[in-house]
């Protein structure tokens, strides 16, 4: 597919839509559909070898112009080109993670990859890799950022819908983003995974006419193989959590140095583990609203219960009566399990063969 076409015919300016980027001293016009951008050839050449080589192609002496400038037709989205020019002229800055930034990030990454603008591409990748990390510590930081001061988890205010990220990663070969994005998606109910999401509306020049139906925002869905992968990964994660309950909570052995071992057979610690187990079962059963298929979060909750003091014994608020040794032993078990989950997520979603999955150190 051609990247661009240098103009050598008469075009009527009144048939085009001038964008915000229409400089009086511009010396090249970019045409993208009906949108026109009068910009500076030197600015494009300085950032992109592709544009530089394109502009070096000799033109006929009778070359027609637009507003006194040669023109180039780009085979891209007008919205993408607008975001790219904003990044080239105004810079690309992100104060903090926000889902509203994703259309710009996706557009600039798409075109900076196509036109070999390395600085912008690297900046976009850094932001995406921060929002869709490859380490457990970074994932935990991401989740904390999506939780407000009142403890409300609002990821879609901070990060884009994972289906949009999966689509972009598949388009540009960004396999490193897929594990986090698929895990995030798997926390939705199956019905919501199947229903997809909506593409962000395109950013167009302010005077642009109404979009034709073919260019209007459309629903975005996973492909059938991607849906199967997401649902299988979701199911496998739930099975892992069920196995954890069976092996690490149901009839869990007391710690070797349990302080309650000789008091009614360690009943206080055993009953505490049973109470923790009931609450983890809520996550497997889908009772924990919004986080019902999230093994990493369910394991954090299990460990956090050890220090909570807002339980009730029917008379007053209190904490679990588990001894310090059993608490420490269980915390170590949870930490190891979360590391194992993180190493297994690429396997659950078919991104890595099971035999290649690294083992969490015990």
């Amino acid at each position: 597919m051609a990247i661009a076409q240098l103009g050598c015919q008469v075009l009527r300016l009144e048939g085009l839509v001038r964008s915000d980027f229409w400089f009086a001293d511009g010396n090249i016009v970019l045409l993208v559909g009906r949108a026109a951008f009068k910009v500076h050839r030197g600015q494009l050449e300085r950032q992109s070898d592709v544009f530089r080589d394109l502009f070096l192609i000799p033109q006929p002496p009778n070359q027609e112009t637009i507003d006194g400038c040669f023109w180039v037709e780009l085979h891209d989205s007008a919205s993408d080109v607008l975001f790219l020019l904003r990044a080239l002229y105004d810079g690309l800055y992100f104060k903090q993670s926000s889902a509203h930034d994703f259309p710009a990030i996706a557009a600039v990454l798409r075109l900076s990859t196509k036109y070999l603008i390395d600085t912008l591409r690297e900046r976009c990748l850094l932001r995406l890799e921060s929002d869709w990390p490859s380490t457990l510590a970074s994932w935990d930081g991401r989740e904390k950022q999506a939780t407000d001061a009142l403890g409300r988890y609002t990821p879609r205010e901070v990060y884009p819908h994972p289906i949009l990220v999966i689509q972009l990663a598949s388009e540009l070969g960004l396999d490193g983003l897929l594990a986090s994005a698929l895990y995030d998606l798997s926390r939705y109910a199956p019905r919501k995974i199947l229903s997809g999401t909506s593409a962000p509306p395109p950013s167009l020049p302010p005077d642009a006419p109404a979009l034709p139906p073919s260019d209007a925002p459309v629903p975005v869905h996973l492909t059938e193989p991607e849906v199967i992968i997401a649902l299988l990964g979701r199911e496998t994660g739930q099975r892992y959590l069920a196995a954890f309950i069976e092996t690490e909570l149901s009839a869990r052995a007391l710690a070797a140095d349990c302080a309650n071992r000789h008091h009614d057979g360690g009943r206080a610690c055993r009953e505490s583990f049973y109470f923790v187990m009931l609450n983890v079962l809520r996550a497997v059963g889908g009772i924990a609203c919004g986080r019902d298929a999230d093994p990493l979060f369910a394991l954090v909750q299990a460990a956090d219960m050890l220090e909570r003091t807002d339980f009730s014994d029917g008379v007053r608020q209190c904490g679990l009566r588990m001894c310090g040794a059993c608490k420490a032993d269980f915390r170590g078990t949870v930490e190891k399990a979360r590391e194992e989950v993180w190493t297994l997520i690429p396997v659950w979603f078919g991104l890595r063969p099971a035999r290649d999955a690294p083992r969490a150190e015990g």
Side-chain angles (χ1 to χ4, degrees):
M1 181 180 294
I3 289 179
Q5 176 183 336
L6 286 168
C8 55
Q9 63 185 64
V10 178
L11 287 181
R12 299 178 61 188
L13 184 58
E14 60 268 23
L16 302 173
V17 179
R18 292 191 184 191
S19 72
D20 293 340
F21 288 89
W22 191 271
F23 298 103
D25 62 343
N27 55 8
I28 190 73
V29 173
L30 307 180
L31 296 183
V32 190
R34 288 177 293 170
F37 307 83
K38 186 178 178 183
V39 292
H40 302 94
R41 172 175 168 171
Q43 176 76 343
L44 300 179
E45 290 178 336
R46 181 173 179 268
Q47 299 290 339
S48 167
D49 289 344
V50 175
F51 279 120
R52 183 191 63 194
D53 294 343
L54 177 64
F55 297 149
L56 289 177
I57 299 175
Q59 297 303 302
N62 60 344
Q63 164 83 37
E64 298 293 346
T65 62
I66 297 176
D67 202 28
C69 299
F70 292 130
W71 55 272
V72 178
E73 183 178 8
L74 302 181
H75 303 287
D76 300 302
S77 154
S79 178
D80 283 4
V81 172
L82 183 59
F83 279 125
L84 177 67
L85 292 175
R86 284 176 180 168
L88 287 174
Y89 277 89
D90 303 332
L92 191 64
Y93 305 105
F94 309 115
K95 294 182 179 179
Q96 59 185 11
S97 294
S98 170
H100 299 297
D101 292 336
F102 183 75
I105 294 169
V108 174
L109 179 59
R110 192 178 290 115
L111 294 191
S112 64
T113 299
K114 177 177 180 179
Y115 294 111
L116 304 181
I117 307 174
D118 291 340
T119 54
L120 291 181
R121 185 174 189 276
E122 290 171 4
R123 191 166 300 174
C124 291
L125 287 176
L126 283 174
R127 168 61 187 275
L128 287 173
E129 289 164 358
S130 174
D131 290 348
W132 307 91
S134 59
T135 68
L136 178 57
S138 297
W139 176 266
D140 288 342
R142 169 198 194 272
E143 296 295 270
K144 184 177 181 180
Q145 192 169 353
T147 306
D148 66 18
L150 298 177
R152 294 174 299 193
Y153 183 60
T154 56
R156 295 292 76 87
E157 294 180 10
V158 185
Y159 309 110
H161 196 287
I163 286 180
L164 299 177
V165 179
I166 292 167
Q167 183 186 62
L168 181 67
S170 299
E171 175 189 349
L172 299 180
L174 306 175
D175 294 346
L177 306 178
L178 287 174
S180 289
L182 284 165
Y183 181 76
D184 190 1
L185 179 64
S186 73
R187 301 183 295 177
Y188 282 85
R191 176 180 57 83
K192 291 188 175 181
I193 294 175
L194 289 169
S195 64
T197 186
S198 297
S203 179
L204 294 174
D207 297 329
L211 290 172
S214 60
D215 292 332
V218 294
V220 179
H221 297 92
L222 296 178
T223 64
E224 183 175 339
E226 288 170 338
V227 168
I228 293 172
I229 287 171
L231 294 178
L232 286 176
R234 186 182 196 275
E235 178 184 343
T236 307
Q238 293 295 79
R239 287 206 306 265
Y240 180 95
L241 200 53
F244 177 87
I245 293 171
E246 178 66 26
T247 59
E248 302 295 348
L249 280 172
S250 178
R252 180 182 178 85
L254 301 175
D257 51 348
C258 172
N260 292 322
R261 179 178 295 276
H262 302 297
H263 300 282
D264 200 10
R267 179 178 177 180
C269 291
R270 296 185 192 280
E271 288 183 345
S272 295
F273 280 125
Y274 181 73
F275 188 72
V276 172
M277 182 183 71
L278 292 179
N279 278 268
V280 177
L281 278 170
R282 295 173 67 245
V284 178
I287 302 173
C289 180
R291 308 292 288 272
D292 58 281
D294 190 344
L296 291 171
F297 177 71
L299 290 168
V300 166
Q301 277 194 315
D304 287 348
M305 288 179 64
L306 304 181
E307 304 303 328
R308 284 172 53 183
T309 57
D310 57 345
F311 302 118
S312 174
D313 60 2
V315 178
R316 58 186 176 82
Q317 286 192 327
C318 59
L320 297 177
R321 296 187 299 149
M322 189 184 301
C323 74
C326 285
K327 286 182 178 181
D329 187 53
F330 184 64
R331 284 195 202 95
T333 298
V334 168
E335 183 178 345
K336 181 181 177 181
R338 294 188 79 244
E339 291 286 353
E340 185 176 37
V341 167
W342 189 257
T343 63
L344 288 174
I345 286 174
V347 177
W348 294 350
F349 295 101
L351 302 173
R352 179 190 300 146
R355 63 180 180 274
D356 294 338
R359 299 288 299 176
E361 294 183 4

